Amino acid sequence: MRDQSRTPFFDAVQSYIGKHRAGLHMPGHMSGQGIHPRLKEFWGENVFLSDLTEVEGLDYLHRPIGVVKEAQELAAEAYGAIESFFLVNGSTVGNQAMILSTCDPNNRVIVQRNSHRSMYGALILNELRPIYLEAEEDRLLQFQTFPSKKTFARVLRDHPEAKTVFVTNPNYFGISSDIDYYVQKAHATGRRILVDEAHGSHFHFHQDLPKSAVDAGADMVVQSTHKTLAGLTQTSMLHLGSRRVDKELVRATLTMLESSSPSYILMTALDVARMQMATNGHDLLQRAIDLAEDARRRINNLEGLFAPGRERAHTEAVYDVDLTKLTVHVSRLGLTGFQVEDILNRDYNVEIELSDLENILAFITIGTPREAVEILIKALEDISRKRHGKTSTIAPPPPIPNIPEMVLFPFEAYYAKRERVRMEDSVGRIIAELVTPYPPGIPITVPGEVMTHECVDYMVFMRDHGADLQGIIDKTARYVQVVKER
Ligand SMILES: Cc1ncc(COP(=O)(O)O)c(C=O)c1O
């Protein structure tokens, strides 16, 4: 066991700065000397001094032989991985690297349908032929969670030609599946399993959190250190959990996809975030869990609000629950989650992580101050009191549409000639856009699928109730791109 209190990369950065070298290299601001004084005054000197590049003694992310290598080895040990890669372009690049380094162009690949758009980007980039794992729906909270064991087993049985499986676990709200089952089933049938664990970088460090896919033995796992730990935005890690993947190919793929000038500020943040969790993670997470549990108890005493916790675990659509995610079901107030988010913003100066039609979601992390949680609870008390006795004017949302028929593979439709039609006129046409209402960021149509009435109804409803229909080029989200008919 190495000394996890060490921070080799951060130490090297500090030591380099201490040398006060005459610098004649990138970045052009030259340790802050070229930065405009207004920004320097606001950000402080050390940010610019730390914004280094592959200078003497600081190693290089794409060919690590020194302090980057050491920092990544410490991370691998802290997470129980065979090897860990620091990522400076988020889990987006991690998902793409996992898929591109394991699938050859044109391969069939089994992927969870309700995955992040970065997974779809990889399908297009590598011209892959997806087979979808459809997720269960949490009927209470009205969002999708994960594929049932039955679905998982059936899809694997029916598609022996697909040698790679990609799943997303947990979902944005921290609802997690039985990851052990997926991993064992994939391996028992001779497949590799890749896991988008963007929302689970903290799981490994506390026994009351869902099981991490790294601990379950998945072949590759991607985590956004910036989402649930104290990494800076864009910091993530890719962990290798088995020798079924070619680590040199993973490295080469990352070199192809990521900047050749990786940010040393981001890498420093990763080195320190790992040290923080390895040395004190359990206690920091215990505090976050306690804060969230206390908030749930108090919110559940309020009229019209419901904050579900672990009591719902081990049901069909909820296997386990990340207790640090504070989901509040608000529809019994007669308001949508979007409206409650707006009220919190406007009247109470509270910024939450996201809202959807039925829920709001607050992240309680190792950094969340107790005062922020108190302000949220007070605001919810107030909103609940004001809404008491008021009736809802919100039409019930249409059901989440079934997966439309795929007549072209995503890459075929993506690269096809397109034309723009009114959303309502697109029924029966082959869609060329990945339409993803955000939140929660789950695609409703994927390029190559035939648009249905139910998809259009759902998108129009979501658009008109405040969701941002991401992936649609048209800014008003009234027109969509379809494959041009010959
Ligand atoms: C499930 C999931 N995977 C991947 C990503 C992409 O992560 P990043 O923002 O770190 O690139 C996100 C972002 O929200 C996500 O929710």
Side-chain angles (χ1 to χ4, degrees):
M1 187 80 175
R2 294 164 197 242
D3 178 1
Q4 286 284 343
S5 67
R6 294 182 52 240
T7 48
F9 189 75
F10 182 31
D11 295 353
V13 166
Q14 285 185 306
S15 140
Y16 182 88
I17 293 169
K19 288 181 186 154
H20 302 286
R21 295 177 83 122
L24 296 150
H25 54 78
M26 291 195 290
H29 63 70
M30 201 52 71
S31 301
Q33 294 173 86
I35 294 283
H36 194 283
R38 262 182 67 200
L39 186 60
K40 207 191 287 189
E41 195 189 331
F42 187 65
W43 276 2
E45 295 248 347
N46 283 342
V47 179
F48 304 108
L49 291 170
S50 306
D51 187 27
L52 290 161
T53 181
E54 58 273 23
V55 288
E56 181 66 28
L58 286 194
D59 210 1
Y60 185 42
L61 182 65
H62 295 297
R63 204 182 334 98
I65 49 170
V67 285
V68 175
K69 178 168 181 282
E70 230 184 303
Q72 292 187 141
E73 284 170 359
L74 281 160
E77 189 188 86
Y79 277 95
I82 290 178
E83 185 140 350
S84 295
F85 297 89
F86 284 179
L87 307 178
V88 292
N89 191 24
S91 292
T92 297
V93 80
N95 282 341
Q96 295 178 344
M98 287 200 295
I99 293 177
L100 266 65
S101 61
T102 45
C103 302
D104 291 337
N106 275 308
N107 274 181
R108 299 230 74 175
V109 52
I110 297 172
V111 297
Q112 189 172 323
R113 171 73 178 196
N114 59 332
S115 290
H116 185 256
R117 64 182 138 107
S118 50
M119 189 283 290
Y120 288 93
L123 296 185
I124 291 169
L125 284 171
N126 221 18
E127 306 202 346
L128 297 169
R129 299 157 186 249
I131 300 152
Y132 292 119
L133 290 163
E134 193 165 5
E136 295 296 303
E137 189 179 333
D138 182 334
R139 290 193 200 290
L140 174 71
L141 302 182
Q142 295 271 337
F143 54 62
Q144 291 184 328
T145 57
F146 50 80
S148 68
K149 292 181 184 171
K150 218 164 118 197
T151 301
F152 195 83
R154 175 178 49 75
V155 172
L156 267 61
R157 187 194 58 226
D158 291 351
H159 295 281
E161 74 282 16
K163 297 297 179 209
T164 302
V165 184
F166 178 99
V167 294
T168 300
N169 186 63
N171 76 356
Y172 215 121
F173 296 84
I175 304 297
S176 126
S177 62
D178 183 356
I179 191 68
D180 278 327
Y181 173 82
Y182 291 166
V183 172
Q184 282 160 19
K185 190 80 190 166
H187 287 166
T189 54
R191 293 171 165 97
R192 283 176 298 235
I193 180 159
L194 318 176
V195 183
D196 174 353
E197 199 173 74
H199 291 275
S201 57
H202 54 316
F203 285 1
H204 176 74
F205 300 101
H206 200 289
Q207 73 285 357
D208 290 341
L209 294 172
K211 187 167 192 172
S212 165
V214 185
D215 296 323
D219 299 288
M220 281 198 264
V221 182
V222 161
Q223 301 169 335
S224 292
T225 318
H226 70 96
K227 291 195 196 304
T228 57
L229 292 179
L232 292 184
T233 296
Q234 287 191 210
T235 56
S236 285
M237 293 192 199
L238 191 165
H239 304 292
L240 295 195
S242 84
R243 301 194 191 282
R244 284 182 202 82
V245 285
D246 178 346
K247 67 177 182 192
E248 293 313 327
L249 193 55
V250 176
R251 194 187 311 284
T253 309
L254 283 169
T255 298
M256 188 166 65
L257 297 175
E258 278 191 301
S259 170
S260 59
S261 312
S263 161
Y264 278 56
I265 291 183
L266 297 186
M267 289 192 283
T268 302
L270 279 167
D271 192 26
V272 176
R274 180 275 311 155
M275 177 274 285
Q276 182 182 32
M277 292 320 285
T279 55
N280 197 23
H282 186 275
D283 290 356
L284 290 167
L285 287 166
Q286 186 63 54
R287 179 190 162 277
I289 292 171
D290 290 346
L291 259 183
E293 287 286 76
D294 180 53
R296 260 188 288 276
R297 258 191 308 276
R298 291 165 62 189
I299 291 168
N300 282 333
N301 286 328
L302 302 177
E303 197 71 41
L305 292 173
F306 172 52
R310 174 146 297 140
E311 73 287 348
R312 292 185 339 113
H314 295 283
T315 57
E316 196 180 292
V318 181
Y319 181 78
D320 205 351
V321 174
D322 174 358
L323 296 172
T324 68
K325 297 267 173 110
L326 179 61
T327 303
V328 186
H329 190 59
V330 300
S331 60
R332 283 182 231 148
L333 291 176
L335 296 170
T336 64
F338 298 123
Q339 288 170 318
V340 174
E341 181 174 2
D342 279 350
I343 297 170
L344 286 170
N345 248 307
R346 194 186 57 224
D347 299 344
Y348 300 93
N349 204 21
V350 171
E351 188 79 42
I352 53 167
E353 172 62 23
L354 64 74
S355 57
D356 64 14
L357 278 175
E358 312 265 337
N359 311 290
I360 59 167
L361 172 66
F363 275 20
I364 312 289
T365 72
I366 60 170
T368 307
R370 177 172 287 280
E371 304 80 69
V373 182
E374 289 298 328
I375 293 169
L376 172 69
I377 295 172
K378 291 263 163 2
L380 291 175
E381 279 170 4
D382 211 29
I383 297 170
S384 154
R385 200 171 330 106
K386 286 182 182 155
R387 290 296 304 173
H388 186 66
K390 297 229 166 76
T391 48
S392 173
T393 52
I394 307 161
I400 298 172
N402 291 315
I403 301 176
E405 184 193 2
M406 173 168 52
V407 293
L408 293 177
F409 290 115
F411 72 91
E412 292 173 318
Y414 186 80
Y415 294 120
K417 293 240 175 319
R418 302 157 170 225
E419 62 184 325
R420 193 180 89 134
V421 296
R422 270 166 40 89
M423 173 107 67
E424 288 75 3
D425 299 334
S426 66
V427 174
R429 300 292 302 271
I430 304 173
I431 187 93
E433 291 180 310
L434 182 74
V435 184
T436 308
Y438 184 88
I442 302 307
I444 297 302
T445 61
V446 173
E449 293 173 345
V450 181
M451 185 70 109
T452 60
H453 275 294
E454 54 167 353
C455 286
V456 168
D457 289 349
Y458 185 81
M459 290 181 202
V460 169
F461 185 92
M462 293 297 281
R463 180 194 68 201
D464 293 347
H465 283 80
D468 175 21
L469 295 193
Q470 292 188 349
I472 292 192
I473 290 175
D474 175 49
K475 289 200 179 62
T476 64
R478 297 194 181 275
Y479 293 85
V480 286
Q481 304 267 322
V482 295
V483 172
K484 199 165 186 169
E485 287 174 343
R486 282 174 214 175

